[in-house]
């Protein structure tokens, strides 16, 4: 397998004001791997993604994405990103096609318009998430799972090398969740994508990822979940409610505070 | 009607309204979608301090209010980025500070009889060739900018973080939006006045949203609506001999509510 390093964090420390949120984080994600970061709310998962995306700068340590500093990645569109809470107003007057088209417009020059190739890419991206039939639907009228898939299509329309997803399955029912994860697995193979996904649902995620990193300020465990995660690490990260996290797929207490 | 169009001041105001409608229709959409309606009111009120300063120093109040508003718009943007304050709070601070400065400046210039109500409520009789020329310049600058960046601004408005990761220069566009908004507001104060200009920021896109769920049509109908209310208001106010700004806003509000009722009836 290709062992090129997609994401590399080398002893990274991050703070907000004077509070340290990420402590000595080292993480290596190889190209075409699918990796999940799990941890409790407030554990620093979103902050870690913000650091990789260049929104937040560490005060110590180094971050690189395919060898490039995060501050420079914005320009080349190699990262497709799905933020945690989609802030979209359901009234926002855009069709599904328009939402995916945004990615293409983002990379156009001043006055740039879509060409045939862009349109094909947009429709193609929608097909990959099984949403091509909804092209002219109003985005706000879709279900949560459908919206998430459209937003994945928008990320794919960038032709990214990496997908970064922040709790993409939150708020989806279990059928929509299963469908979503199936699509991700397929994309990973077909599109040769590296996927970094935040989740607080170890149970579901364990079955599909190559690596899992348990994060609560520090990374307490980092490895292949199929080989077993030491229970001390889980308790360190999740506290005593760890049983909930592991067994109850639709655990409501895990969602608290979101 | 012939007499009406024959008069110079009316021609000036007519052309100005025509040009401004396009800008208001467009910007209204982004202001509404970004939930910055209060920003329009804030910038307009900030203009008051600038107007008073111009009067005090004996320079054209247009220039001083333009500088005031652009500086305020940019500072509000910076304050929200750096100081973790919301737009509303940032604007609230500037808005009242600038109004207070305005009152202060006017008090300093004791002996001056100053057409306060003209600035507060608009006075199309005060529209000059020079104003018209300024509007033309602003329009010539803003229209290519808005069409050139339409989709990038749409992306930014829809989802700022993702837009940034996807190659949209979000901070530059943010500032650009604020500065253009400030310019448009300042140049339209002559017609509608400081108090009423915020209606032109809020109403057009709100109307457009009743018409369609496709942003192209929303923007298009917002522009059409603004044209109708500005030109309609201008003509009506001439015949009824009433303040133009007030007539425009009343007409606009009536059309908005009638359309709202009709669209509710239609959708059952
Ligand atoms: N913009 C911010 N300013 C200050 N503190 C923040 C900010 N964003 C996150 N934090 C703090 O950093 C910690 C980690 O948050 P976050 O990365 O969002 O956790 P998670 O995504 O794992 O729930 C939390 O304590 C949170 O309060
Ligand atoms: Mg988070």
């Amino acid at each position: 397998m290709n062992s090129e390093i997609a994401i590399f964090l080398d002893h990274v420390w991050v703070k907000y004001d004077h509070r340290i949120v990420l402590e000595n984080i080292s993480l290596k994600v190889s190209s075409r791997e699918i990796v999940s970061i799990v941890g409790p709310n407030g554990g620093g998962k979103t902050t870690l993604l913000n650091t990789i995306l260049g929104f937040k700068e560490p005060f110590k340590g180094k971050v690189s994405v395919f060898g490039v500093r995060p501050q420079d990645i914005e320009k080349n569109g190699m990262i497709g990103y799905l933020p945690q809470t989609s802030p979209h107003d359901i009234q926002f007057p855009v069709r599904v096609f328009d939402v995916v088209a945004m990615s293409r417009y983002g990379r156009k020059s001043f006055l740039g318009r879509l060409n045939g190739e862009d349109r094909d890419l947009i429709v193609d991206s929608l097909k990959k998430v099984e949403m091509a039939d909804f092209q002219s639907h109003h985005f706000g009228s879709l279900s949560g799972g459908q919206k998430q898939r459209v937003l994945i299509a928008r990320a794919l329309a960038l032709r990214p090398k990496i997908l970064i997803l922040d709790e993409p399955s939150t708020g989806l029912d279990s059928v929509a969740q299963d469908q979503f994860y199936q699509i991700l697995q397929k994309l990973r193979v077909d599109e040769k994508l590296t996927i970094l996904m935040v989740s607080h649902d170890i149970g579901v995620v364990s079955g599909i990822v190559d690596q899992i990193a348990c994060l609560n300020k520090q990374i307490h465990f980092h490895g292949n979940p199929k080989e077993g995660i030491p229970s001390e690490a889980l308790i360190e990260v999740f506290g005593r409610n760890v049983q909930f996290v592991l067994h109850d797929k639709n655990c409501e207490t895990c969602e608290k505070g979101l | 009607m012939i007499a009406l169009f024959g008069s110079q001041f009316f021609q000036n105001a007519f052309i100005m309204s025509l040009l401004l409608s396009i800008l208001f229709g467009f910007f209204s959409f982004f202001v509404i979608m970004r939930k910055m309606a209060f920003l329009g009111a804030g910038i307009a009120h900030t203009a008051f301090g600038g107007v008073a300063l111009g009067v005090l120093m004996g320079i054209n109040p247009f220039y001083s209010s333009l500088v005031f508003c652009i500086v305020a718009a940019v500072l509000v943007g910076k304050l929200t980025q750096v100081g973790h304050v919301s737009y509303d709070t940032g604007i609230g601070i500037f808005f009242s500070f600038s109004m207070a400065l305005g009152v202060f400046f006017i008090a300093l210039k004791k002996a001056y009889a100053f057409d306060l109500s003209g600035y507060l409520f608009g006075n199309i009789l005060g529209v000059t060739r020079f104003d018209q020329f300024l509007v033309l310049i602003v329009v010539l600058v803003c229209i290519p900018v808005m069409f050139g960046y339409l989709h990038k601004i749409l992306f930014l408005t829809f989802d700022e973080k993702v837009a940034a990761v996807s190659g949209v220069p979000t901070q530059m566009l943010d500032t650009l939006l604020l500065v253009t908004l400030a310019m448009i507001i300042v140049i339209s104060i002559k017609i509608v006045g400081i108090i009423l200009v915020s209606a032109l920021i809020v109403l057009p896109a709100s109307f457009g949203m009743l018409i369609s769920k496709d942003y192209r049509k929303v923007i298009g109908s917002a522009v059409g609506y603004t044209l109708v209310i500005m030109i309609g208001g201008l003509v009506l106010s001439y015949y009824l001999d009433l303040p133009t700004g007030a007539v425009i806003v009343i007409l606009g509000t009536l059309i908005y509510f009638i359309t709202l009722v009709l669209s509710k009836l239609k959708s059952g």
Side-chain angles (χ1 to χ4, degrees):
Chain A
M1 213 176 130
N2 189 346
S3 63
E4 191 186 0
I5 295 170
I7 300 173
F8 185 51
L9 283 91
D10 184 16
H11 301 286
V12 167
W13 296 65
V14 175
K15 62 182 173 188
Y16 281 113
D17 303 319
H18 295 293
R19 204 160 55 87
I20 290 177
V21 176
L22 294 179
E23 200 175 296
N24 205 18
I25 305 288
S26 292
L27 182 70
K28 213 184 269 185
V29 178
S30 299
S31 172
R32 300 171 67 175
E33 250 184 342
I34 173 161
V35 174
S36 182
I37 298 169
V38 296
N41 284 321
K45 303 181 296 296
T46 300
T47 304
L48 184 64
L49 298 188
N50 282 339
T51 311
I52 295 167
L53 291 163
F55 291 125
K56 180 78 190 156
E57 231 179 303
F59 68 94
K60 238 196 279 179
K62 278 200 213 98
V63 183
S64 69
V65 179
F66 281 111
V68 181
R69 288 184 328 145
Q71 292 90 319
D72 302 325
I73 54 175
E74 299 174 15
K75 290 152 209 144
N76 63 25
M78 68 177 158
I79 297 182
Y81 170 49
L82 194 69
Q84 179 167 12
T85 39
S86 301
H88 315 112
D89 181 349
I90 56 160
Q91 297 291 339
F92 205 98
V94 279
R95 296 169 304 153
V96 167
F97 185 93
D98 301 326
V99 172
V100 182
M102 288 178 186
S103 275
R104 300 310 301 163
Y105 279 117
R107 318 211 17 81
K108 296 271 167 194
S109 59
F110 186 71
L111 280 172
R113 288 286 173 263
L114 295 182
N115 55 31
E117 198 185 321
D118 293 317
R119 287 174 190 283
D120 291 346
L121 191 54
I122 292 165
V123 175
D124 206 41
S125 303
L126 280 167
K127 278 190 189 138
K128 285 173 189 155
V129 297
E130 296 162 27
M131 286 298 289
D133 295 341
F134 291 84
Q135 273 180 64
S136 49
H137 281 57
H138 176 48
F139 181 74
S141 69
L142 302 181
S143 73
Q146 291 172 326
K147 276 186 189 149
Q148 288 298 67
R149 284 188 275 146
V150 171
L151 296 178
I152 293 284
R154 178 178 67 180
L156 293 176
L158 278 173
R159 290 189 179 286
K161 288 168 128 178
I162 303 178
L163 273 190
I164 291 187
L165 316 172
D166 199 347
E167 309 209 20
S169 62
T170 304
L172 306 191
D173 62 36
S174 59
V175 176
Q177 265 188 31
D178 289 346
Q179 189 181 18
F180 185 82
Y181 287 122
Q182 269 171 25
I183 287 172
L184 273 195
Q185 276 178 290
K186 199 165 165 300
L187 283 176
R188 174 237 185 142
V189 179
D190 297 351
E191 306 297 311
K192 306 182 173 60
L193 280 168
T194 307
I195 300 178
L196 179 64
M197 173 172 57
V198 162
S199 171
H200 47 221
D201 200 346
I202 303 193
V204 176
V205 157
S206 294
I208 62 168
V209 300
D210 300 313
Q211 264 196 81
I212 206 161
C214 300
L215 177 73
N216 189 359
K217 201 166 166 189
Q218 305 172 13
I219 290 183
H220 291 276
F221 169 80
H222 181 197
N224 186 335
K226 283 147 203 144
E227 289 159 13
I229 306 172
S231 55
E232 313 88 72
L234 286 178
I235 291 167
E236 192 77 56
V237 171
F238 289 102
R240 285 173 200 223
N241 285 330
V242 65
Q243 290 309 317
F244 277 112
V245 182
L246 276 176
H247 298 303
D248 190 351
K249 207 164 138 181
N250 301 311
C251 158
E252 297 211 330
T253 51
C254 315
E255 305 277 335
K256 268 198 186 130
L258 249 189
Chain B
M1 204 65 178
I2 306 268
L4 181 60
F5 281 93
S7 80
Q8 185 63 51
F9 87 83
F10 187 83
Q11 275 180 14
N12 290 344
F14 183 85
I15 292 169
M16 240 170 106
S17 309
L18 209 68
L19 297 173
L20 283 173
S21 311
I22 304 171
L23 295 175
F24 276 117
F26 185 86
F27 281 95
S28 171
F29 175 71
F30 292 104
V31 172
I32 294 293
M33 293 327 291
R34 306 194 76 186
K35 313 238 178 300
M36 301 192 319
F38 185 50
L39 182 68
I43 292 176
H45 285 76
T46 303
F48 181 72
V51 167
L53 183 68
V55 170
L56 179 68
M57 294 177 45
I59 53 173
N60 187 339
F62 176 84
Y63 296 128
S64 48
S65 53
L66 190 61
V67 171
F68 252 66
C69 290
I70 291 179
V71 169
V74 172
L75 283 181
V76 167
K78 284 272 171 280
L79 199 64
T80 55
Q81 279 166 17
V82 179
H84 306 293
V85 258
S86 70
Y87 263 113
D88 279 0
T89 311
I91 295 155
I93 292 168
F94 274 93
F95 162 175
S96 42
F97 178 59
S98 182
M99 288 291 272
L101 277 183
V103 174
F104 178 74
F105 293 147
I106 288 173
L108 286 182
K109 184 104 183 176
K110 290 189 182 73
Y112 191 78
F114 155 65
D115 176 24
L116 189 61
S117 92
Y119 283 102
L120 291 182
F121 302 106
N123 176 11
I124 56 160
L125 290 168
V127 175
T128 60
R129 274 245 172 243
F130 177 70
D131 294 331
Q132 199 183 315
F133 177 69
L134 284 173
V135 177
L136 195 64
I137 291 185
V138 171
V139 170
L140 286 179
V141 172
C142 292
I143 289 187
V145 167
M146 69 198 202
F147 281 107
Y149 287 125
L150 170 63
H151 291 94
K152 288 198 169 81
I153 301 175
L154 187 77
F155 196 173
L156 162 75
T157 306
F158 188 64
D159 207 329
E160 183 155 2
K161 275 181 99 182
V162 181
V165 175
S166 314
V168 175
T170 50
Q171 292 203 354
M172 184 277 276
L173 288 178
D174 227 4
T175 310
L176 191 74
L177 265 179
L178 289 172
V179 169
T180 18
L181 190 64
M183 291 202 291
I184 300 165
I185 288 173
V186 171
I187 57 177
S188 47
I189 283 175
K190 274 276 174 77
I191 294 191
V192 282
I194 287 172
I195 309 280
L196 299 176
V197 71
S198 49
L200 289 180
I201 301 280
V202 181
L203 284 172
S206 309
F207 173 84
M209 297 287 284
L210 296 176
I211 303 295
S212 175
K213 282 183 173 170
D214 178 337
Y215 67 96
R216 287 161 273 249
K217 290 179 194 152
V218 172
I219 295 173
S221 42
V223 169
Y225 165 89
T226 320
L227 264 171
V228 168
I229 67 167
M230 284 191 83
I231 302 296
L234 198 60
V235 174
L236 273 176
S237 71
Y238 182 85
Y239 283 111
L240 302 175
D241 193 22
L242 287 168
T244 315
V247 177
I248 291 174
V249 174
I250 291 170
L251 182 65
T253 311
L254 284 178
I255 294 179
Y256 173 77
F257 277 109
I258 291 169
T259 315
L260 179 68
V261 170
L262 288 180
S263 69
K264 287 278 175 255
L265 287 180
K266 218 174 99 187
S267 64

